[in-house]
Amino acid sequence: MPAPPPDTPHSAGARRALRTIAAVEAAKGVVVLLAATGLLSLLHADLGALAARLVRYSHLNPASHYPQILVDAASHLQTPRLLWLAAGALAYAALRLVEAWGLYWERAWAEWLAALGGAIYVPIELAELLHRTTPLGLAVLTVNLAVVAVMVQALRARRARR
């Protein structure tokens, strides 16, 4: 891809950080897009039977508590609910892919979107850590705070340049 215009407000290090975050956002978008496609492929399937087969294939006891919850939930998942889940996943994937494009090309709106999108999860992640502290939870919070910090710094650099 061609380099950004020479009047870019970001240093080379900031540009690398933005592009790394753009790659992560694009990867999230692609993963959710694949999940949405998988959901749409299940529209006319017997989900209860599919869940029961999955439980048996995993060598789990279908009569035990958790596998039974999975089978029951799959059996009661109706087509409209599945369509709403797929539509939500597609919207989320589109948002992440558009954000990734904007971050790659150093657009201010994408920096705002990434900063706000990351910051909105911080209280939820903190509440989860207060409830139960796990290494994964700490890692997610740390990465999310780093993304917000990079975005705030990018926005400050943009403002200072003006």
Side-chain angles (χ1 to χ4, degrees):
M1 294 188 162
D7 64 338
T8 181
H10 302 303
S11 67
R15 189 173 302 119
R16 273 192 304 277
L18 286 172
R19 290 192 172 169
T20 299
I21 294 168
V24 170
E25 293 302 322
K28 287 178 3 186
V30 168
V31 167
V32 174
L33 186 61
L34 291 172
T37 304
L39 282 173
L40 289 173
S41 73
L42 297 174
L43 277 180
H44 301 294
D46 180 356
L47 296 179
L50 184 64
R53 255 193 332 254
L54 180 63
V55 166
R56 282 192 305 276
Y57 180 78
S58 301
H59 303 291
L60 299 172
N61 179 2
S64 65
H65 182 68
Y66 292 111
Q68 190 58 47
I69 290 173
L70 173 68
V71 172
D72 287 344
S75 297
H76 293 95
L77 192 59
Q78 295 120 0
T79 299
R81 219 180 257 168
L82 202 56
L83 281 171
W84 278 110
L85 281 171
L90 287 170
Y92 179 85
L95 178 68
R96 291 293 159 226
L97 292 169
V98 167
E99 177 185 349
W101 182 90
L103 288 173
Y104 184 87
W105 293 107
E106 300 179 40
R107 302 295 195 248
W109 58 264
E111 293 165 7
W112 276 105
L113 181 61
L116 294 173
I120 202 166
Y121 292 113
V122 170
I124 297 165
E125 293 163 355
L126 285 172
E128 179 62 28
L129 284 174
L130 289 174
H131 175 70
R132 189 178 69 158
T133 303
T134 64
L136 179 61
L138 284 170
V140 168
L141 177 63
T142 302
V143 168
N144 207 9
L145 288 172
V147 167
V148 172
V150 167
M151 291 303 116
V152 168
Q153 183 58 37
L155 289 164
R156 281 185 175 166
R158 183 179 297 280
R159 176 173 274 188
R161 176 144 167 120
R162 277 195 259 162

